[in-house]
């Protein structure tokens, strides 16, 4: 656990714990009893300003009842003073926006199919530190998801996007537009593709491209620029932004989202591009399942967005999807280049993909084999 986070938790006062416990239990008589338990959530944070996430659990007395009840919350620590690196996710995310979303209960509501997590306390008393006490979602299905979880989440996400497209809302903050162009810089895609060509005879390349020409990886990367040019002109709407399965929690008739720092104005459909595309990089088994069922998951999203009353152009929607999906697919297609850069980080690769570094190309080859089909689809969309 980050040393600073540990000190902050140890100094958490009774007033804070009482506020949070009462929010969790929805009872103003709740009073924490005993010492809470702190369990660090050791996920990888793309934005390095997130210095810690910890589950806090304890017991509380409620009313005149002698029986103690359990309560828990997940507390997120964000340090705005952490330097933002050029390659860091901080280029397109804003913790300040996330804080406003939670403080104002934006994108919430018990009737919503996709909603923001409940926030019991937002604390900026020790600025530039932001401390968010959030809903504990550990009872929801945890990743890696089953296929039905992706289908459900995609449907709920579609309804969310469609509702905001049909009924635009004014937000209490300024949001960026077309963050996909920052996240997936076409020049970087093209540079990786060129390097891929130069390494066509490497062992990694031959394993990753056993049955299709390596030029397919170049073709998909080179389509990003014309795609982005087209995407700027298709209908836009408010986007969740970071809709990967590690930020979404299916709970019955709802899916709950966390990490609202990437809210932006994007081509409608971009969110499902993140949901599907990001899963290509969370393990070889998950990637295989996702690419096999991409159309099924995507159709669930279409069903969800149309159920909101949205009646837009399905080709434009697919363009929106590709603004994010193409980045993930291009990155995976260039895996022979990427792996050479991770030779000294074998443990990271094993944790991320679930296999040894040398085994990754062979495992993702079936996914890469689908690239020519997506090249054909994109070229048809862009005609």
């Amino acid at each position: 656990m980050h040393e600073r986070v540990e000190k902050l938790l140890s100094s958490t006062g009774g007033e804070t714990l009482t506020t949070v416990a009462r929010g969790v239990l929805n009872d103003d008589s709740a009073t924490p009893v005993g010492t809470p338990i702190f369990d660090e959530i050791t996920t990888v944070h793309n934005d390095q300003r997130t210095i810690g996430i910890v589950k806090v659990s304890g017991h509380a007395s409620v009313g005149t009842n002698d029986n103690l009840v359990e309560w828990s919350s997940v507390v997120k620590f964000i340090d705005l003073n952490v330097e933002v690196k050029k390659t860091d996710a901080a280029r397109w995310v804003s913790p300040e926006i996330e804080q406003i979303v939670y403080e104002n209960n934006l994108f919430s509501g018990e009737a919503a199919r996709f909603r923001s997590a409940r926030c019991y306390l937002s604390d900026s008393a020790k600025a530039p530190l932001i401390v968010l006490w959030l809903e504990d979602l550990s009872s929801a299905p945890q990743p890696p998801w089953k296929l039905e979880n992706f289908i459900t989440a995609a449907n709920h996400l579609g309804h969310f996007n469609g509702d905001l497209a049909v009924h635009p809302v004014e937000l209490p903050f300024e949001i960026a537009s077309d963050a996909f162009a920052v996240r997936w810089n076409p020049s970087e895609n093209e540079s990786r593709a060129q390097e891929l060509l130069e390494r066509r005879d490497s062992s990694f390349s031959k394993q990753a491209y056993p049955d299709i020409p390596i030029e397919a990886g170049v073709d998909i990367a080179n389509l990003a620029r014309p795609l982005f040019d087209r995407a700027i002109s298709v209908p836009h709407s408010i986007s969740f932004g970071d809709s990967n399965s590690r930020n979404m929690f299916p709970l019955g008739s709802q899916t709950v989202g966390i990490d609202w720092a990437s809210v932006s104005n994007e081509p409608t459909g971009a969110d499902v591009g993140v949901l599907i595309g990001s899963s290509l990089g969370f393990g070889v088994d998950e990637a295989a399942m996702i690419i096999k069922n991409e159309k099924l998951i995507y159709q669930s999203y279409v069903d969800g967005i149309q159920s909101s009353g949205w009646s837009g152009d399905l080709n434009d929607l697919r363009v929106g999807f590709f603004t994010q999906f193409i980045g993930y697919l291009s990155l995976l297609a260039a895996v022979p280049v990427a792996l050479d850069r991770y030779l000294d980080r074998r443990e990271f690769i094993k944790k991320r993909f679930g296999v040894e570094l040398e085994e990754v190309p062979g495992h993702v080859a079936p996914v890469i084999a689908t690239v020519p089909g997506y090249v054909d689809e994109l070229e048809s969309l862009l005609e």
Side-chain angles (χ1 to χ4, degrees):
M1 186 181 298
H2 193 288
E3 183 179 352
R4 187 179 178 194
V5 169
E6 195 168 2
K7 289 181 179 179
L8 288 165
L9 286 169
S10 64
S11 63
T12 301
E15 183 177 349
T16 293
L17 295 176
T18 298
T19 298
V20 174
R22 289 178 176 178
V24 172
L25 299 172
N26 195 28
D27 192 318
D28 288 341
S29 71
T31 302
V33 176
T35 303
I37 298 173
F38 303 133
D39 292 310
E40 184 179 18
I41 299 175
T42 57
T43 55
V44 177
H45 316 301
N46 283 333
D47 186 346
Q48 297 306 305
R49 289 172 293 189
T50 298
I51 61 173
I53 300 178
V54 179
K55 178 179 176 179
V56 180
S57 54
H59 292 85
S61 61
V62 177
T64 58
N65 194 329
D66 292 334
N67 295 325
L68 299 180
V69 295
E70 296 180 346
W71 66 272
S72 60
S73 173
V74 171
V75 57
K76 180 177 183 177
F77 296 88
I78 305 166
D79 185 354
L80 298 180
N81 268 353
V82 172
E83 183 181 358
V84 176
K85 298 178 182 178
K86 181 181 178 181
T87 56
D88 195 79
R91 292 179 297 162
W92 63 83
V93 303
S94 168
E96 294 89 344
I97 285 180
E98 180 178 23
Q99 184 178 28
I100 295 171
V101 167
Y102 285 130
E103 287 180 345
N104 290 273
N105 294 315
L106 301 178
F107 312 117
S108 61
E110 294 308 310
R113 296 189 197 176
F114 181 74
R115 66 169 175 84
S116 58
R118 299 184 184 95
C119 181
Y120 307 115
L121 181 64
S122 171
D123 184 1
S124 298
K126 296 182 179 179
L129 186 74
I130 297 173
V131 183
L132 302 171
W133 292 78
L134 305 172
E135 180 178 0
D136 176 18
L137 297 164
S138 57
S139 63
Q142 302 295 307
W145 283 354
K146 297 178 180 178
L147 177 59
E148 55 261 36
N149 299 134
F150 280 100
I151 291 172
T152 297
N155 184 272
H156 293 170
L157 190 62
H159 190 275
F160 168 81
N161 287 151
D163 188 54
L164 288 170
V166 175
H167 306 105
V169 297
E170 185 174 344
L171 297 175
F173 50 82
E174 291 186 11
I175 60 175
S177 292
D178 299 324
F180 63 84
V182 177
R183 190 171 192 173
W184 306 114
N185 186 313
S187 296
E188 294 177 6
N189 278 341
E190 293 160 359
S191 176
R192 273 197 307 267
Q194 183 57 42
E195 193 171 350
L196 181 64
L197 278 181
E198 295 169 358
R199 301 189 185 196
R200 65 164 66 240
D201 295 324
S202 74
S203 174
F204 284 161
S205 296
K206 290 178 179 178
Q207 292 177 63
Y209 288 84
D211 301 314
I212 64 171
I214 203 166
E215 283 77 10
V218 178
D219 292 340
I220 194 69
N222 288 340
L223 280 168
R225 195 177 295 275
L227 170 68
F228 291 177
D229 290 342
R230 165 74 181 279
I232 291 173
S233 63
V234 303
H236 284 48
S237 57
I238 293 174
S239 167
F240 172 35
D242 199 7
S243 46
N244 73 72
S245 61
R246 276 63 181 168
N247 287 339
M248 300 171 67
F249 299 84
L251 284 174
S253 61
Q254 290 186 315
T255 296
V256 182
I258 62 171
D259 286 359
W260 289 82
S262 302
V263 174
S264 55
N265 183 47
E266 301 296 311
T268 306
D271 270 342
V272 73
V274 174
L275 174 61
I276 296 174
S278 61
S279 296
L280 299 180
F282 281 124
V284 294
D285 292 336
E286 186 168 333
M289 179 187 72
I290 288 298
I291 208 67
K292 179 181 178 181
N293 296 284
E294 181 266 306
K295 296 295 191 296
L296 183 63
I297 299 168
Y298 182 81
Q299 184 57 50
S300 183
Y301 175 83
V302 172
D303 293 342
I305 197 171
Q306 290 180 330
S307 72
S308 72
W310 178 91
S311 58
D313 187 296
L314 290 177
N315 285 336
D316 287 344
L317 190 69
R318 192 66 172 174
V319 167
F321 159 79
F322 268 114
T323 59
Q324 290 287 351
F325 184 70
I326 194 174
Y328 294 105
L329 191 60
S330 297
L331 196 59
L332 196 67
V335 74
V337 174
L339 289 180
D340 278 344
R341 298 171 181 171
Y342 280 89
L343 290 174
D344 60 344
R345 295 183 63 190
R346 291 176 177 274
E347 287 305 312
F348 172 83
I349 291 296
K350 186 174 182 179
K351 183 176 181 180
R352 186 73 182 236
F353 285 94
V355 296
E356 297 293 342
L357 183 144
E358 287 81 6
E359 299 173 4
V360 172
H363 279 281
V364 300
V367 179
I368 294 175
T370 67
V371 169
Y374 286 111
V375 169
D376 290 344
E377 182 184 358
L378 259 175
E379 288 178 341
S380 178
L381 272 177
L382 297 176
E383 286 181 351

